[in-house]
PDB file of all heavy atoms in Angstrom:
ATOM      1  N   ALA X  28       4.007 -10.583   0.659  1.00 98.00           N
ATOM      2  CA  ALA X  28       2.901 -11.534   0.687  1.00 98.00           C
ATOM      3  C   ALA X  28       1.990 -11.230   1.879  1.00 98.00           C
ATOM      4  O   ALA X  28       2.448 -11.101   3.012  1.00 98.00           O
ATOM      5  CB  ALA X  28       3.442 -12.971   0.798  1.00 98.00           C
ATOM      6  N   LEU X  29       0.691 -11.095   1.606  1.00 97.00           N
ATOM      7  CA  LEU X  29      -0.267 -10.743   2.633  1.00 97.00           C
ATOM      8  C   LEU X  29      -1.033 -11.981   3.120  1.00 97.00           C
ATOM      9  O   LEU X  29      -1.136 -12.977   2.393  1.00 97.00           O
ATOM     10  CB  LEU X  29      -1.265  -9.704   2.094  1.00 97.00           C
ATOM     11  CG  LEU X  29      -0.673  -8.399   1.583  1.00 97.00           C
ATOM     12  CD1 LEU X  29      -1.778  -7.474   1.078  1.00 97.00           C
ATOM     13  CD2 LEU X  29       0.124  -7.714   2.684  1.00 97.00           C
ATOM     14  N   PRO X  30      -1.605 -11.923   4.330  1.00 93.00           N
ATOM     15  CA  PRO X  30      -2.389 -13.058   4.834  1.00 93.00           C
ATOM     16  C   PRO X  30      -3.572 -13.409   3.949  1.00 93.00           C
ATOM     17  O   PRO X  30      -4.044 -14.547   3.966  1.00 93.00           O
ATOM     18  CB  PRO X  30      -2.854 -12.550   6.211  1.00 93.00           C
ATOM     19  CG  PRO X  30      -1.863 -11.521   6.598  1.00 93.00           C
ATOM     20  CD  PRO X  30      -1.449 -10.856   5.328  1.00 93.00           C
ATOM     21  N   SER X  31      -4.053 -12.446   3.169  1.00 92.00           N
ATOM     22  CA  SER X  31      -5.187 -12.678   2.273  1.00 92.00           C
ATOM     23  C   SER X  31      -4.821 -13.527   1.066  1.00 92.00           C
ATOM     24  O   SER X  31      -5.691 -13.952   0.313  1.00 92.00           O
ATOM     25  CB  SER X  31      -5.743 -11.337   1.804  1.00 92.00           C
ATOM     26  OG  SER X  31      -4.749 -10.637   1.054  1.00 92.00           O
ATOM     27  N   GLY X  32      -3.516 -13.757   0.857  1.00 95.00           N
ATOM     28  CA  GLY X  32      -3.063 -14.493  -0.300  1.00 95.00           C
ATOM     29  C   GLY X  32      -2.558 -13.597  -1.419  1.00 95.00           C
ATOM     30  O   GLY X  32      -1.933 -14.081  -2.366  1.00 95.00           O
ATOM     31  N   GLU X  33      -2.817 -12.288  -1.324  1.00 95.00           N
ATOM     32  CA  GLU X  33      -2.324 -11.346  -2.321  1.00 95.00           C
ATOM     33  C   GLU X  33      -0.836 -11.046  -2.086  1.00 95.00           C
ATOM     34  O   GLU X  33      -0.330 -11.193  -0.974  1.00 95.00           O
ATOM     35  CB  GLU X  33      -3.098 -10.026  -2.236  1.00 95.00           C
ATOM     36  CG  GLU X  33      -4.585 -10.126  -2.492  1.00 95.00           C
ATOM     37  CD  GLU X  33      -5.268  -8.799  -2.229  1.00 95.00           C
ATOM     38  OE1 GLU X  33      -5.248  -7.944  -3.143  1.00 95.00           O
ATOM     39  OE2 GLU X  33      -5.820  -8.624  -1.125  1.00 95.00           O
ATOM     40  N   THR X  34      -0.199 -10.609  -3.134  1.00 98.00           N
ATOM     41  CA  THR X  34       1.163 -10.102  -3.045  1.00 98.00           C
ATOM     42  C   THR X  34       1.182  -8.677  -3.557  1.00 98.00           C
ATOM     43  O   THR X  34       0.688  -8.418  -4.659  1.00 98.00           O
ATOM     44  CB  THR X  34       2.141 -10.964  -3.843  1.00 98.00           C
ATOM     45  OG1 THR X  34       2.160 -12.299  -3.296  1.00 98.00           O
ATOM     46  CG2 THR X  34       3.549 -10.396  -3.784  1.00 98.00           C
ATOM     47  N   VAL X  35       1.724  -7.752  -2.759  1.00 98.00           N
ATOM     48  CA  VAL X  35       1.731  -6.337  -3.094  1.00 98.00           C
ATOM     49  C   VAL X  35       3.164  -5.857  -3.189  1.00 98.00           C
ATOM     50  O   VAL X  35       4.010  -6.181  -2.335  1.00 98.00           O
ATOM     51  CB  VAL X  35       0.976  -5.507  -2.026  1.00 98.00           C
ATOM     52  CG1 VAL X  35       1.013  -4.026  -2.366  1.00 98.00           C
ATOM     53  CG2 VAL X  35      -0.459  -5.978  -1.921  1.00 98.00           C
ATOM     54  N   SER X  36       3.465  -5.087  -4.225  1.00 98.00           N
ATOM     55  CA  SER X  36       4.807  -4.501  -4.372  1.00 98.00           C
ATOM     56  C   SER X  36       4.886  -3.246  -3.523  1.00 98.00           C
ATOM     57  O   SER X  36       4.082  -2.324  -3.648  1.00 98.00           O
ATOM     58  CB  SER X  36       5.055  -4.156  -5.847  1.00 98.00           C
ATOM     59  OG  SER X  36       6.332  -3.545  -5.998  1.00 98.00           O
ATOM     60  N   ILE X  37       5.872  -3.206  -2.618  1.00 98.00           N
ATOM     61  CA  ILE X  37       6.009  -2.081  -1.692  1.00 98.00           C
ATOM     62  C   ILE X  37       7.404  -1.470  -1.775  1.00 98.00           C
ATOM     63  O   ILE X  37       8.370  -2.128  -2.156  1.00 98.00           O
ATOM     64  CB  ILE X  37       5.728  -2.501  -0.246  1.00 98.00           C
ATOM     65  CG1 ILE X  37       6.811  -3.478   0.256  1.00 98.00           C
ATOM     66  CG2 ILE X  37       4.334  -3.120  -0.084  1.00 98.00           C
ATOM     67  CD1 ILE X  37       6.846  -3.671   1.749  1.00 98.00           C
ATOM     68  N   THR X  38       7.476  -0.209  -1.399  1.00 98.00           N
ATOM     69  CA  THR X  38       8.747   0.472  -1.158  1.00 98.00           C
ATOM     70  C   THR X  38       8.671   1.028   0.260  1.00 98.00           C
ATOM     71  O   THR X  38       7.752   1.786   0.568  1.00 98.00           O
ATOM     72  CB  THR X  38       8.985   1.608  -2.173  1.00 98.00           C
ATOM     73  OG1 THR X  38       9.117   1.035  -3.484  1.00 98.00           O
ATOM     74  CG2 THR X  38      10.241   2.382  -1.827  1.00 98.00           C
ATOM     75  N   ALA X  39       9.593   0.610   1.117  1.00 98.00           N
ATOM     76  CA  ALA X  39       9.538   0.981   2.535  1.00 98.00           C
ATOM     77  C   ALA X  39      10.766   1.802   2.893  1.00 98.00           C
ATOM     78  O   ALA X  39      11.857   1.608   2.345  1.00 98.00           O
ATOM     79  CB  ALA X  39       9.434  -0.247   3.413  1.00 98.00           C
ATOM     80  N   LEU X  40      10.604   2.725   3.830  1.00 98.00           N
ATOM     81  CA  LEU X  40      11.704   3.558   4.300  1.00 98.00           C
ATOM     82  C   LEU X  40      11.382   4.078   5.695  1.00 98.00           C
ATOM     83  O   LEU X  40      10.222   4.088   6.114  1.00 98.00           O
ATOM     84  CB  LEU X  40      11.968   4.722   3.347  1.00 98.00           C
ATOM     85  CG  LEU X  40      10.841   5.737   3.115  1.00 98.00           C
ATOM     86  CD1 LEU X  40      11.403   7.101   2.738  1.00 98.00           C
ATOM     87  CD2 LEU X  40       9.915   5.276   1.999  1.00 98.00           C
ATOM     88  N   GLN X  41      12.402   4.518   6.375  1.00 98.00           N
ATOM     89  CA  GLN X  41      12.256   5.179   7.672  1.00 98.00           C
ATOM     90  C   GLN X  41      12.231   6.683   7.406  1.00 98.00           C
ATOM     91  O   GLN X  41      13.196   7.270   6.941  1.00 98.00           O
ATOM     92  CB  GLN X  41      13.425   4.807   8.565  1.00 98.00           C
ATOM     93  CG  GLN X  41      13.522   5.585   9.861  1.00 98.00           C
ATOM     94  CD  GLN X  41      12.378   5.340  10.831  1.00 98.00           C
ATOM     95  OE1 GLN X  41      11.788   6.278  11.339  1.00 98.00           O
ATOM     96  NE2 GLN X  41      12.058   4.069  11.076  1.00 98.00           N
ATOM     97  N   MET X  42      11.078   7.306   7.696  1.00 97.00           N
ATOM     98  CA  MET X  42      10.938   8.750   7.568  1.00 97.00           C
ATOM     99  C   MET X  42      10.344   9.252   8.876  1.00 97.00           C
ATOM    100  O   MET X  42       9.144   9.467   8.986  1.00 97.00           O
ATOM    101  CB  MET X  42      10.050   9.100   6.378  1.00 97.00           C
ATOM    102  CG  MET X  42       9.976  10.577   6.003  1.00 97.00           C
ATOM    103  SD  MET X  42      11.482  11.281   5.325  1.00 97.00           S
ATOM    104  CE  MET X  42      12.047  12.277   6.705  1.00 97.00           C
ATOM    105  N   CYS X  43      11.192   9.303   9.893  1.00 96.00           N
ATOM    106  CA  CYS X  43      10.779   9.600  11.287  1.00 96.00           C
ATOM    107  C   CYS X  43      10.012   8.440  11.892  1.00 96.00           C
ATOM    108  O   CYS X  43      10.128   8.168  13.077  1.00 96.00           O
ATOM    109  CB  CYS X  43       9.937  10.867  11.362  1.00 96.00           C
ATOM    110  SG  CYS X  43      10.749  12.345  10.778  1.00 96.00           S
ATOM    111  N   ASN X  44       9.212   7.761  11.103  1.00 96.00           N
ATOM    112  CA  ASN X  44       8.481   6.546  11.491  1.00 96.00           C
ATOM    113  C   ASN X  44       8.639   5.539  10.359  1.00 96.00           C
ATOM    114  O   ASN X  44       8.992   5.894   9.238  1.00 96.00           O
ATOM    115  CB  ASN X  44       6.984   6.855  11.673  1.00 96.00           C
ATOM    116  CG  ASN X  44       6.727   7.896  12.723  1.00 96.00           C
ATOM    117  OD1 ASN X  44       7.076   7.738  13.884  1.00 96.00           O
ATOM    118  ND2 ASN X  44       6.095   9.000  12.333  1.00 96.00           N
ATOM    119  N   PRO X  45       8.343   4.259  10.617  1.00 98.00           N
ATOM    120  CA  PRO X  45       8.312   3.295   9.495  1.00 98.00           C
ATOM    121  C   PRO X  45       7.210   3.682   8.519  1.00 98.00           C
ATOM    122  O   PRO X  45       6.082   3.986   8.916  1.00 98.00           O
ATOM    123  CB  PRO X  45       8.006   1.963  10.191  1.00 98.00           C
ATOM    124  CG  PRO X  45       8.324   2.166  11.636  1.00 98.00           C
ATOM    125  CD  PRO X  45       8.069   3.613  11.919  1.00 98.00           C
ATOM    126  N   ASN X  46       7.532   3.711   7.241  1.00 98.00           N
ATOM    127  CA  ASN X  46       6.570   4.044   6.198  1.00 98.00           C
ATOM    128  C   ASN X  46       6.667   3.033   5.071  1.00 98.00           C
ATOM    129  O   ASN X  46       7.771   2.638   4.674  1.00 98.00           O
ATOM    130  CB  ASN X  46       6.819   5.441   5.648  1.00 98.00           C
ATOM    131  CG  ASN X  46       6.294   6.530   6.564  1.00 98.00           C
ATOM    132  OD1 ASN X  46       5.139   6.939   6.462  1.00 98.00           O
ATOM    133  ND2 ASN X  46       7.149   7.012   7.469  1.00 98.00           N
ATOM    134  N   CYS X  47       5.520   2.652   4.560  1.00 98.00           N
ATOM    135  CA  CYS X  47       5.436   1.718   3.456  1.00 98.00           C
ATOM    136  C   CYS X  47       4.614   2.369   2.352  1.00 98.00           C
ATOM    137  O   CYS X  47       3.499   2.848   2.604  1.00 98.00           O
ATOM    138  CB  CYS X  47       4.765   0.419   3.939  1.00 98.00           C
ATOM    139  SG  CYS X  47       4.321  -0.721   2.612  1.00 98.00           S
ATOM    140  N   CYS X  48       5.148   2.421   1.136  1.00 98.00           N
ATOM    141  CA  CYS X  48       4.462   3.056   0.013  1.00 98.00           C
ATOM    142  C   CYS X  48       4.054   2.016  -1.019  1.00 98.00           C
ATOM    143  O   CYS X  48       4.855   1.176  -1.418  1.00 98.00           O
ATOM    144  CB  CYS X  48       5.363   4.103  -0.640  1.00 98.00           C
ATOM    145  SG  CYS X  48       5.865   5.429   0.480  1.00 98.00           S
ATOM    146  N   VAL X  49       2.792   2.090  -1.425  1.00 98.00           N
ATOM    147  CA  VAL X  49       2.245   1.221  -2.465  1.00 98.00           C
ATOM    148  C   VAL X  49       1.823   2.119  -3.621  1.00 98.00           C
ATOM    149  O   VAL X  49       0.958   2.991  -3.445  1.00 98.00           O
ATOM    150  CB  VAL X  49       1.051   0.403  -1.955  1.00 98.00           C
ATOM    151  CG1 VAL X  49       0.505  -0.493  -3.067  1.00 98.00           C
ATOM    152  CG2 VAL X  49       1.435  -0.432  -0.734  1.00 98.00           C
ATOM    153  N   PHE X  50       2.403   1.936  -4.792  1.00 98.00           N
ATOM    154  CA  PHE X  50       2.101   2.783  -5.939  1.00 98.00           C
ATOM    155  C   PHE X  50       0.954   2.173  -6.730  1.00 98.00           C
ATOM    156  O   PHE X  50       0.950   0.974  -7.018  1.00 98.00           O
ATOM    157  CB  PHE X  50       3.349   2.961  -6.808  1.00 98.00           C
ATOM    158  CG  PHE X  50       4.351   3.887  -6.185  1.00 98.00           C
ATOM    159  CD1 PHE X  50       5.228   3.431  -5.206  1.00 98.00           C
ATOM    160  CD2 PHE X  50       4.415   5.230  -6.553  1.00 98.00           C
ATOM    161  CE1 PHE X  50       6.145   4.289  -4.600  1.00 98.00           C
ATOM    162  CE2 PHE X  50       5.330   6.102  -5.962  1.00 98.00           C
ATOM    163  CZ  PHE X  50       6.184   5.623  -4.978  1.00 98.00           C
ATOM    164  N   VAL X  51      -0.044   3.000  -7.028  1.00 98.00           N
ATOM    165  CA  VAL X  51      -1.266   2.527  -7.688  1.00 98.00           C
ATOM    166  C   VAL X  51      -1.568   3.403  -8.902  1.00 98.00           C
ATOM    167  O   VAL X  51      -1.102   4.544  -9.005  1.00 98.00           O
ATOM    168  CB  VAL X  51      -2.457   2.558  -6.710  1.00 98.00           C
ATOM    169  CG1 VAL X  51      -2.188   1.666  -5.505  1.00 98.00           C
ATOM    170  CG2 VAL X  51      -2.763   3.979  -6.249  1.00 98.00           C
ATOM    171  N   GLU X  52      -2.366   2.842  -9.816  1.00 96.00           N
ATOM    172  CA  GLU X  52      -2.811   3.608 -10.992  1.00 96.00           C
ATOM    173  C   GLU X  52      -3.963   4.530 -10.647  1.00 96.00           C
ATOM    174  O   GLU X  52      -4.100   5.618 -11.194  1.00 96.00           O
ATOM    175  CB  GLU X  52      -3.217   2.639 -12.102  1.00 96.00           C
ATOM    176  CG  GLU X  52      -2.057   1.840 -12.682  1.00 96.00           C
ATOM    177  CD  GLU X  52      -1.032   2.714 -13.384  1.00 96.00           C
ATOM    178  OE1 GLU X  52      -1.443   3.734 -13.980  1.00 96.00           O
ATOM    179  OE2 GLU X  52       0.168   2.388 -13.312  1.00 96.00           O
ATOM    180  N   ASP X  53      -4.839   4.059  -9.737  1.00 95.00           N
ATOM    181  CA  ASP X  53      -5.967   4.873  -9.275  1.00 95.00           C
ATOM    182  C   ASP X  53      -6.415   4.321  -7.927  1.00 95.00           C
ATOM    183  O   ASP X  53      -5.961   3.262  -7.495  1.00 95.00           O
ATOM    184  CB  ASP X  53      -7.126   4.877 -10.284  1.00 95.00           C
ATOM    185  CG  ASP X  53      -7.658   3.472 -10.533  1.00 95.00           C
ATOM    186  OD1 ASP X  53      -8.303   2.908  -9.639  1.00 95.00           O
ATOM    187  OD2 ASP X  53      -7.399   2.932 -11.644  1.00 95.00           O
ATOM    188  N   PHE X  54      -7.304   5.037  -7.253  1.00 96.00           N
ATOM    189  CA  PHE X  54      -7.758   4.634  -5.917  1.00 96.00           C
ATOM    190  C   PHE X  54      -9.093   3.904  -5.953  1.00 96.00           C
ATOM    191  O   PHE X  54      -9.517   3.327  -4.949  1.00 96.00           O
ATOM    192  CB  PHE X  54      -7.859   5.859  -4.997  1.00 96.00           C
ATOM    193  CG  PHE X  54      -6.567   6.594  -4.824  1.00 96.00           C
ATOM    194  CD1 PHE X  54      -6.402   7.862  -5.327  1.00 96.00           C
ATOM    195  CD2 PHE X  54      -5.498   6.002  -4.174  1.00 96.00           C
ATOM    196  CE1 PHE X  54      -5.208   8.554  -5.183  1.00 96.00           C
ATOM    197  CE2 PHE X  54      -4.291   6.671  -4.028  1.00 96.00           C
ATOM    198  CZ  PHE X  54      -4.142   7.945  -4.535  1.00 96.00           C
ATOM    199  N   GLU X  55      -9.764   3.934  -7.093  1.00 93.00           N
ATOM    200  CA  GLU X  55     -11.074   3.309  -7.188  1.00 93.00           C
ATOM    201  C   GLU X  55     -10.992   1.786  -7.384  1.00 93.00           C
ATOM    202  O   GLU X  55     -11.825   1.041  -6.877  1.00 93.00           O
ATOM    203  CB  GLU X  55     -11.877   3.925  -8.355  1.00 93.00           C
ATOM    204  CG  GLU X  55     -12.349   5.347  -8.122  1.00 93.00           C
ATOM    205  CD  GLU X  55     -11.221   6.361  -8.106  1.00 93.00           C
ATOM    206  OE1 GLU X  55     -10.223   6.168  -8.856  1.00 93.00           O
ATOM    207  OE2 GLU X  55     -11.325   7.354  -7.339  1.00 93.00           O
ATOM    208  N   SER X  56      -9.966   1.343  -8.099  1.00 92.00           N
ATOM    209  CA  SER X  56      -9.843  -0.083  -8.393  1.00 92.00           C
ATOM    210  C   SER X  56      -9.052  -0.849  -7.336  1.00 92.00           C
ATOM    211  O   SER X  56      -8.877  -2.050  -7.450  1.00 92.00           O
ATOM    212  CB  SER X  56      -9.194  -0.281  -9.772  1.00 92.00           C
ATOM    213  OG  SER X  56      -7.885   0.277  -9.787  1.00 92.00           O
ATOM    214  N   VAL X  57      -8.591  -0.146  -6.305  1.00 95.00           N
ATOM    215  CA  VAL X  57      -7.789  -0.767  -5.246  1.00 95.00           C
ATOM    216  C   VAL X  57      -8.512  -0.585  -3.911  1.00 95.00           C
ATOM    217  O   VAL X  57      -8.907   0.535  -3.549  1.00 95.00           O
ATOM    218  CB  VAL X  57      -6.390  -0.128  -5.159  1.00 95.00           C
ATOM    219  CG1 VAL X  57      -5.586  -0.725  -3.996  1.00 95.00           C
ATOM    220  CG2 VAL X  57      -5.642  -0.305  -6.464  1.00 95.00           C
ATOM    221  N   ASP X  58      -8.708  -1.667  -3.186  1.00 97.00           N
ATOM    222  CA  ASP X  58      -9.309  -1.581  -1.858  1.00 97.00           C
ATOM    223  C   ASP X  58      -8.208  -1.218  -0.871  1.00 97.00           C
ATOM    224  O   ASP X  58      -7.732  -2.034  -0.083  1.00 97.00           O
ATOM    225  CB  ASP X  58      -9.963  -2.920  -1.485  1.00 97.00           C
ATOM    226  CG  ASP X  58     -10.774  -2.834  -0.199  1.00 97.00           C
ATOM    227  OD1 ASP X  58     -10.780  -1.743   0.432  1.00 97.00           O
ATOM    228  OD2 ASP X  58     -11.370  -3.849   0.180  1.00 97.00           O
ATOM    229  N   TRP X  59      -7.776   0.045  -0.906  1.00 98.00           N
ATOM    230  CA  TRP X  59      -6.586   0.440  -0.166  1.00 98.00           C
ATOM    231  C   TRP X  59      -6.806   0.428   1.339  1.00 98.00           C
ATOM    232  O   TRP X  59      -5.859   0.206   2.103  1.00 98.00           O
ATOM    233  CB  TRP X  59      -6.102   1.813  -0.637  1.00 98.00           C
ATOM    234  CG  TRP X  59      -7.052   2.964  -0.490  1.00 98.00           C
ATOM    235  CD1 TRP X  59      -7.940   3.412  -1.413  1.00 98.00           C
ATOM    236  CD2 TRP X  59      -7.173   3.816   0.646  1.00 98.00           C
ATOM    237  NE1 TRP X  59      -8.629   4.501  -0.915  1.00 98.00           N
ATOM    238  CE2 TRP X  59      -8.171   4.766   0.335  1.00 98.00           C
ATOM    239  CE3 TRP X  59      -6.537   3.880   1.879  1.00 98.00           C
ATOM    240  CZ2 TRP X  59      -8.561   5.763   1.251  1.00 98.00           C
ATOM    241  CZ3 TRP X  59      -6.925   4.851   2.795  1.00 98.00           C
ATOM    242  CH2 TRP X  59      -7.929   5.789   2.463  1.00 98.00           C
ATOM    243  N   ARG X  60      -8.029   0.635   1.778  1.00 98.00           N
ATOM    244  CA  ARG X  60      -8.288   0.574   3.243  1.00 98.00           C
ATOM    245  C   ARG X  60      -8.057  -0.850   3.778  1.00 98.00           C
ATOM    246  O   ARG X  60      -7.431  -1.018   4.833  1.00 98.00           O
ATOM    247  CB  ARG X  60      -9.700   1.052   3.547  1.00 98.00           C
ATOM    248  CG  ARG X  60      -9.944   2.519   3.202  1.00 98.00           C
ATOM    249  CD  ARG X  60     -11.407   2.891   3.433  1.00 98.00           C
ATOM    250  NE  ARG X  60     -11.659   4.292   3.117  1.00 98.00           N
ATOM    251  CZ  ARG X  60     -11.967   4.746   1.896  1.00 98.00           C
ATOM    252  NH1 ARG X  60     -12.027   3.883   0.870  1.00 98.00           N
ATOM    253  NH2 ARG X  60     -12.188   6.030   1.694  1.00 98.00           N
ATOM    254  N   THR X  61      -8.562  -1.831   3.062  1.00 97.00           N
ATOM    255  CA  THR X  61      -8.351  -3.216   3.482  1.00 97.00           C
ATOM    256  C   THR X  61      -6.876  -3.574   3.419  1.00 97.00           C
ATOM    257  O   THR X  61      -6.324  -4.217   4.331  1.00 97.00           O
ATOM    258  CB  THR X  61      -9.173  -4.170   2.597  1.00 97.00           C
ATOM    259  OG1 THR X  61     -10.567  -3.892   2.779  1.00 97.00           O
ATOM    260  CG2 THR X  61      -8.891  -5.621   2.974  1.00 97.00           C
ATOM    261  N   LEU X  62      -6.212  -3.160   2.334  1.00 98.00           N
ATOM    262  CA  LEU X  62      -4.772  -3.439   2.215  1.00 98.00           C
ATOM    263  C   LEU X  62      -3.990  -2.729   3.323  1.00 98.00           C
ATOM    264  O   LEU X  62      -3.058  -3.324   3.899  1.00 98.00           O
ATOM    265  CB  LEU X  62      -4.268  -2.986   0.854  1.00 98.00           C
ATOM    266  CG  LEU X  62      -4.728  -3.798  -0.366  1.00 98.00           C
ATOM    267  CD1 LEU X  62      -4.185  -3.176  -1.650  1.00 98.00           C
ATOM    268  CD2 LEU X  62      -4.269  -5.259  -0.249  1.00 98.00           C
ATOM    269  N   GLY X  63      -4.344  -1.496   3.622  1.00 98.00           N
ATOM    270  CA  GLY X  63      -3.653  -0.775   4.691  1.00 98.00           C
ATOM    271  C   GLY X  63      -3.773  -1.491   6.023  1.00 98.00           C
ATOM    272  O   GLY X  63      -2.797  -1.597   6.773  1.00 98.00           O
TER     273      GLY X  63
END
């Protein structure tokens, strides 16, 4: 759950650093910079 009110499905793991992966269908329909 994000402060914006959205809920995003994530997969997180430790790969030398904390990493969070969000799987998307395309990059045009997702405001990934804001979500990041």
Side-chain angles (χ1 to χ4, degrees):
L29 301 180
S31 62
E33 299 174 83
T34 298
V35 179
S36 178
I37 66 165
T38 295
L40 61 153
Q41 170 66 229
M42 188 69 253
C43 301
N44 300 300
N46 282 272
C47 170
C48 300
V49 180
F50 286 81
V51 300
E52 293 296 326
D53 60 72
F54 300 113
E55 289 69 33
S56 61
V57 177
D58 188 357
W59 60 268
R60 295 175 180 87
T61 297
L62 289 177

